[in-house]
Amino acid sequence: MSGSERPGGQPEEIIEGIASGYRFTGPALDLGALIWDGTCHPGAPVRIPLPMLNRHGLVAGATGTGKTKTLQLIAEQLSAHGVPVFLADIKGDLSGISAPGLPNDKVRSRAAEVGQEWAPAGCPAEFYALGGLGHGIPVRATVTSFGPLLLAKVLRLNQTQEQSLGLVFHYADSKGLELVDLKDLRAVVAFLTSDEGKAELRSVGGLSSATAGVILRSLTAFEAQGMGAFFGEPEFDTAELLRTAPDGRGIVSVLELPAVQDRPQLFSTFLMWLLADLFHDLPEAGDLDKPKLVFFFDEAHLLFDGASKAFLESLTQTVRLIRSKGVGVFFVTQTPKDVPADVLGQLGNRVQHALRAFTPDDEKALKATVRTFPDSPYDLEELLTGLGTGEAVVTVLSERGAPTPVAATRLRAPASLMAPVDAAELDRAVRSSPLYARYAQAVDRESAYEKLTARAARETREAPAPSQREAARPKGREEERPSVVEQVVGSGMFKSLARSVGTQLGREITRSLFGTARRRRR
């Protein structure tokens, strides 16, 4: 039976049949109340079992249908159960989760409709910002730990260039040469295309000057846009996302992204780094009474746009395996078709807000969405286009791991503030955090680039005067502009690297499934 065919039976029987699927015996999050034939039934609550939150989920719907408030509703209940939460705040309107909500007629009306005993309450929260752009504690990564797959996506490299970048990282890893920032990476790329460096990669195919030039130009353009601040130290320790407050509530970590929302490739890939880093470090946990962390991946379609086959394979496997480490991942996007089928098939909990069907493409997306739901007594095509703001179609995994009946749901009102907190208040919260002193100030410690620059400076001071032959070089030659690779290869810093990089001492760096690496922990 398709989702658009409605079976016979009395409304009371249908309502009872759906409601019975949400009567769980253990702890659960309350989403709202069942809707049937336009009427809300507060005696038929729709819920998600707490242990099933690590089976991943999807929150989808058109712009303006209430997805952000759904995130807020789920996050504050997880926090109350002692589960830490990570939220990516794209538009800057989730900071209110840290403050009690304000009662008004809309909130009181919604609470009455769904049988909710509403009381204002904020959550313990930490606020972060990528590279310190915007409000929040700076989040940085070293180039080494970020890895070649993620960096290639940020730089928008093609498959061949991505593979070449992987060779560069392979060489640096095998020499125990940590790349702290982009300066270090540039030096190693240039070295591996030189006469001295080509032999280092000969056994695995080498690195062409043309491809190296593309990578170097991409790095230069990336830095020119102010993106270099995201790479460096102190590197953010993703274990910070697993903390609980002294009163036992889970801390809600909010990554403020308005300052970089025009750079979607950057922030979506950084979110994946956070998740991959957690996967790399967390031990196997098996089935838990509650997750260690629930991670909300907002604007998820940006993660998949232009992704290489290797990137998608790693992402799919990371999502599949991280569940056993106690982490639940919710992808947040407009339609299920934004998520590849291999990933979508792993998302057991679904909250689907309204969809629009104004164009033929919209119609196709609507029909595709309906096919992803279990059989249902609802006419889902009609229902999904008629849902109001703060309403959704829900199906989750029961305590036995089986899908619950599809339930049209009027969602509860969040208990926290449904608006941003004041900017001054947000700054005070950031500066009073115990993490601020640890991460606020960027540190440019001595790494490959600094060591090489210092040596090049010494060599420059000690170098003899230019030869008469060099002084008499034809003017036409002087006017030619060298390539990016030639500029770096010809520098004193590079020549120093050519003599020293092959003897770098350090432990070989190992990488996880997604190509991320971590060498130091506090």
Side-chain angles (χ1 to χ4, degrees), residues 244-423:
T244 56
D247 61 5
R249 289 183 294 167
I251 291 178
V252 179
S253 298
V254 182
L255 183 63
E256 296 279 333
L257 294 172
V260 293
Q261 61 179 311
D262 60 337
R263 302 176 180 97
Q265 290 279 344
L266 174 70
F267 71 69
S268 63
T269 311
F270 251 89
L271 295 183
M272 193 64 233
W273 172 72
L274 292 171
L275 190 62
D277 193 71
L278 284 165
F279 173 80
H280 186 250
D281 287 347
L282 286 174
E284 291 289 325
D287 291 325
L288 303 173
D289 293 337
K290 62 184 181 182
K292 293 181 179 179
L293 173 73
V294 176
F295 192 105
F296 288 92
F297 217 123
D298 207 353
E299 300 289 348
H301 66 282
L302 298 171
L303 184 66
F304 307 111
D305 287 348
S308 68
K309 181 180 178 182
F311 183 96
L312 289 176
E313 288 175 349
S314 295
L315 189 154
T316 302
Q317 198 165 357
T318 299
V319 172
R320 180 181 296 121
L321 297 177
I322 202 169
R323 178 182 71 81
S324 66
K325 299 192 174 191
V327 177
V329 182
F330 274 69
F331 292 95
V332 185
T333 189
Q334 294 206 357
T335 71
K337 73 180 183 65
D338 293 335
V339 181
D342 288 345
V343 176
L344 187 64
Q346 300 177 54
L347 311 183
N349 303 300
R350 299 275 300 279
V351 181
Q352 176 68 59
H353 288 266
L355 290 174
R356 309 301 181 214
F358 300 134
T359 69
D361 286 345
D362 291 342
E363 288 281 358
K364 288 173 62 177
L366 174 61
K367 293 180 183 297
T369 298
V370 169
R371 289 195 296 271
T372 64
F373 280 93
D375 292 343
S376 164
Y378 294 97
D379 181 339
L380 285 179
E381 284 192 34
E382 178 182 339
L383 178 62
L384 285 171
T385 56
L387 290 169
T389 301
E391 296 177 347
V393 173
V394 174
T395 180
V396 301
L397 293 180
S398 70
E399 291 167 312
R400 296 182 295 105
T404 59
V406 175
T409 307
R410 187 159 294 159
L411 298 167
R412 290 182 160 217
S416 53
L417 183 65
M418 290 187 279
V421 299
D422 179 74

Side-chain angles (χ1 to χ4, degrees), residues 371-508:
R371 289 195 296 271
T372 64
F373 280 93
D375 292 343
S376 164
Y378 294 97
D379 181 339
L380 285 179
E381 284 192 34
E382 178 182 339
L383 178 62
L384 285 171
T385 56
L387 290 169
T389 301
E391 296 177 347
V393 173
V394 174
T395 180
V396 301
L397 293 180
S398 70
E399 291 167 312
R400 296 182 295 105
T404 59
V406 175
T409 307
R410 187 159 294 159
L411 298 167
R412 290 182 160 217
S416 53
L417 183 65
M418 290 187 279
V421 299
D422 179 74
E425 183 178 340
L426 181 57
D427 282 336
R428 283 194 295 273
V430 169
R431 293 180 181 278
S432 64
S433 167
L435 302 183
Y436 184 77
R438 186 178 303 165
Y439 295 108
Q441 187 62 46
V443 176
D444 192 6
R445 69 178 173 89
E446 188 179 48
S447 57
Y449 177 84
E450 285 74 22
K451 291 176 181 177
L452 298 169
T453 302
R455 180 176 292 185
R458 289 196 302 271
E459 291 181 351
T460 299
R461 290 193 299 269
E462 298 167 2
S467 67
Q468 292 297 320
R469 181 180 56 82
E470 290 176 331
R473 186 173 52 186
K475 292 184 178 180
R477 176 62 178 168
E478 292 176 357
E479 293 169 358
E480 293 179 10
R481 181 180 296 274
S483 70
V484 175
V485 174
E486 288 171 338
Q487 290 178 51
V488 180
V489 169
S491 68
M493 183 192 77
F494 168 76
K495 292 173 182 175
S496 174
L497 174 62
R499 288 190 295 272
S500 65
V501 73
T503 60
Q504 286 285 340
L505 298 178
R507 179 163 55 89
E508 183 171 353

